[in-house]
Amino acid sequence: MFKISAFGAAGEVGRSCVLIDDGERRVLLDCGVKIVPKERSLPPSGIEEVVREEGIDSVILSHAHLDHTGYTPRLFQEGYNGVVHATPPTRDISHILWLDHLKIEKEEHYLTSFLETALLSTSLHDYREKFRVCDGVIAEFFDAGHILGSSSVLLDWDGVLIWYTGDINTSKTPFHDGAKFPDEEDIDIVISESTNGTRDFPSRKVVEEDFGREITEVLERGGKVIAPSFAVGRSQEVAMTIARWVDIKGLDAQVYLDGMIRYVNEIYLNYLDEKWVSPRFLSWLKDQGLSSPFEMEYLREIDESIKRKEAFRKQISKNADPCVIITTSGMMEGGPVHSYFRYACTDPKNMLAIVGFQVEGTLGREIMEGRRQIVTTNGFGNGYSVEIKSKVKRFHFSGHSPRLGLQEYLLLLDAKNYLFVHGDSESCYALEKYVKHEAVHSNGEVKALKRIEPAVIPS
Ligand SMILES: [Zn+2]
Ligand SMILES: [Zn+2]
């Protein structure tokens, strides 16, 4: 008898933390926080007591995003002394994100020393490598196509097969070829993300085309494109989308990368092989005569080599040379993008390209919905009142499968039971309804599915 509990990500996106408990063994899948605009992040609800009172045998992280990993060091502070299973890129990216999170929220959730403990406790595994989780439980990571090192997890629990999707993207993106499936056919329980359970958007190919055309137009009229972007994954994808336009359409572009992006680029460089990155991308890189995607001559990182960074930002914003600036933070809550609001977004010939999801309550969401009068909040130009006069355009890049992709994915898994997490309640219920009523399974029958409520946070 399994008890599967979600201590977060139950009818919400954020603080993923799923415990599988069969009465003897307890395995935790992910342990993240929920980033809340303008407030402290939220931890999963009540996982500390489980660690203290019952104990956990093992922890598995699907990928590095903070909503899946951000609370992991706290487990050690509560007395957990086992290992954290992860892929090597997940460990490396988590390290950067944890440090950044500590910088922002200080020791809100755990003491700094436990970050080190968590890192030292990682046990690293490649995709498709079986590893022992605890007695009778074997796990295997599969490429989830979401970010570098992201995984879906197959658990063989005394012969019961449990598939945890993590965050999945079934679309091809510059670095990845889309989420992979387990070879096993008799999956007993699927624990699936539901981010876009009710949402469809244009295919990645259409989005990339649209983005390419729009930036070409801006650059050709001598303008600048400011693309606030997440440091992990999206920034690199957007840079490579531009690189394809330079390669195929002869676009003349100067691209700058500003903020934490450069540290993540360094991690990408350590994993540029077929194990972690699409062979399609690697052969394209080879055709370009490049060993790194970030060594293109028109691409420049705004790093320590630039002494007066703020003056440099002003200069590239104000001079006559067209350019694209990819910069943090992705939801525009802070970071160097605020400098560009001030220097570049007041000019109608420029464009603010929204390339990432904007959570309700963030400045990015407000700008996306029409707000134009803002006050800058970064360390250099704090408190400047700015009116955004540049064109604001949203591009539907997504790290998650849209509704139809998710449905197809669930259909192919053809499992006996489904549990939906990591989506608002509407999305979780929509997918549950889909697998119960609408999915026609491979044998032509609709299987009787046990009803599992969207996960409930234990009180
Ligand atoms: Zn994610
Ligand atoms: Zn997530």
Side-chain angles (χ1 to χ4, degrees):
M1 176 68 181
F2 285 103
K3 195 171 128 200
I4 300 178
S5 319
F7 290 77
E12 64 179 348
V13 176
R15 52 177 176 166
S16 284
C17 185
V18 176
L19 183 73
I20 306 181
D21 179 354
D22 71 351
E24 285 171 38
R25 294 156 292 184
R26 276 172 292 277
V27 173
L28 193 64
L29 300 167
D30 286 339
C31 191
V33 292
K34 181 173 183 170
I35 305 293
V36 186
K38 297 165 188 70
E39 284 173 36
R40 297 281 182 199
S41 58
L42 279 178
S45 176
I47 192 64
E48 302 89 346
E49 287 84 65
V50 178
V51 177
R52 281 198 305 266
E53 287 159 26
E54 299 162 71
I56 285 174
D57 294 291
S58 202
V59 177
I60 303 175
L61 299 181
S62 65
H63 67 289
H65 278 149
L66 284 175
D67 63 318
H68 297 258
T69 64
Y71 206 58
T72 308
R74 175 62 177 261
L75 300 173
F76 292 88
Q77 190 166 318
E78 295 296 335
Y80 176 64
N81 60 6
V83 299
V84 175
H85 299 281
T87 63
T90 295
R91 190 261 323 259
D92 293 356
I93 301 170
S94 296
H95 189 186
I96 290 188
L97 295 181
W98 291 350
L99 286 173
D100 188 56
H101 194 220
L102 259 181
K103 210 165 86 187
I104 297 167
E105 297 201 359
K106 311 286 181 269
E107 294 182 320
E108 173 76 11
H109 292 314
Y110 52 84
L111 300 171
T112 308
S113 62
F114 290 101
L115 187 154
E116 277 308 310
T117 315
L119 278 178
L120 292 171
S121 305
T122 47
S123 173
L124 303 179
H125 313 281
D126 291 348
Y127 292 139
R128 309 304 304 267
E129 173 195 315
K130 287 189 165 69
F131 56 91
R132 182 187 169 279
V133 177
C134 55
D135 281 348
V137 183
I138 304 290
E140 199 177 343
F141 285 134
F142 290 71
D143 187 352
H146 173 63
I147 59 165
L148 187 70
S150 66
S151 312
S152 298
V153 186
L154 180 68
L155 289 174
D156 181 338
W157 193 301
D158 285 338
V160 174
L161 297 180
I162 303 170
W163 178 255
Y164 176 59
T165 64
D167 288 0
I168 45 165
N169 193 354
T170 50
S171 308
K172 281 187 179 168
T173 58
F175 289 93
H176 306 290
D177 279 336
K180 302 285 186 295
F181 289 89
D183 306 325
E184 287 75 0
E185 291 187 343
D186 297 313
I187 303 292
D188 294 285
I189 302 168
V190 167
I191 305 164
S192 174
E193 70 124 308
S194 324
T195 318
N196 292 320
T198 53
R199 270 188 300 269
D200 277 309
F201 38 80
S203 74
R204 177 56 80 105
K205 202 164 167 248
V206 169
V207 174
E208 288 180 2
E209 285 280 318
D210 186 29
F211 180 70
R213 264 195 313 274
E214 287 276 346
I215 60 165
T216 304
E217 212 181 293
V218 176
L219 297 181
E220 281 179 355
R221 67 167 181 253
K224 324 261 181 191
V225 177
I226 311 302
S229 184
F230 310 124
V232 179
R234 187 59 41 78
S235 297
Q236 293 77 15
E237 283 175 27
V238 168
M240 289 310 109
T241 303
I242 297 169
R244 301 290 290 222
W245 271 73
V246 172
D247 175 27
I248 298 164
K249 312 264 170 144
L251 176 71
D252 187 11
Q254 169 69 53
V255 181
Y256 296 99
L257 300 174
D258 199 357
M260 215 173 71
I261 301 165
R262 66 184 182 280
Y263 301 116
V264 182
N265 289 353
E266 279 172 32
I267 295 177
Y268 268 74
L269 296 184
N270 292 333
Y271 296 102
L272 277 183
D273 58 61
E274 291 196 6
K275 236 191 246 179
W276 306 107
V277 167
S278 161
R280 168 179 50 91
F281 178 73
L282 295 171
S283 70
W284 174 76
L285 206 58
K286 205 168 151 205
D287 292 346
Q288 302 292 306
L290 298 170
S291 57
S292 146
F294 311 113
E295 69 182 18
M296 286 143 187
E297 56 190 26
Y298 54 85
L299 205 139
R300 182 165 182 192
E301 292 174 351
I302 300 182
D303 57 18
E304 282 67 28
S305 66
I306 295 167
K307 290 287 172 269
R308 294 177 60 232
K309 274 194 203 147
E310 197 57 16
F312 185 79
R313 287 177 181 130
K314 188 172 181 180
Q315 181 204 326
I316 60 171
S317 299
K318 297 279 185 200
N319 66 19
D321 305 330
C323 66
V324 181
I325 301 161
I326 304 171
T327 180
T328 53
S329 70
M331 296 194 198
M332 302 175 234
E333 284 285 278
V337 69
H338 279 244
S339 297
Y340 299 109
F341 280 148
R342 189 177 153 205
Y343 305 135
C345 291
T346 47
D347 188 337
K349 92 173 168 296
N350 299 338
M351 175 169 75
L352 181 68
I354 301 180
V355 294
F357 182 73
Q358 305 298 318
V359 168
E360 190 107 31
T362 58
L363 180 61
R365 179 67 166 255
E366 290 175 14
I367 291 174
M368 195 172 86
E369 290 175 346
R371 180 171 168 187
R372 293 294 176 267
Q373 201 68 48
I374 61 155
V375 176
T376 59
T377 56
N378 72 335
F380 309 102
N382 204 1
Y384 282 88
S385 182
V386 169
E387 186 187 351
I388 298 173
K389 291 186 184 146
S390 302
K391 175 178 181 175
V392 177
K393 171 137 191 194
R394 179 187 185 187
F395 299 92
H396 278 268
F397 286 91
S398 178
H400 297 268
S401 293
R403 182 181 65 100
L404 286 173
L406 255 179
Q407 288 184 343
E408 193 183 354
Y409 177 94
L410 295 168
L411 190 67
L412 286 167
L413 282 172
D414 194 17
K416 297 189 187 80
N417 299 284
Y418 291 87
L419 172 70
F420 293 103
V421 291
H422 200 291
D424 55 34
S425 301
E426 213 190 342
S427 295
C428 294
Y429 278 119
L431 290 175
E432 190 207 355
K433 185 166 170 277
Y434 175 77
V435 294
K436 269 177 83 174
H437 301 296
E438 291 167 40
V440 178
H441 291 263
S442 51
N443 60 1
E445 295 167 21
V446 177
K447 288 185 180 173
L449 292 159
K450 195 173 84 187
R451 183 185 168 85
I452 304 178
E453 293 293 325
V456 173
I457 298 175
S459 54

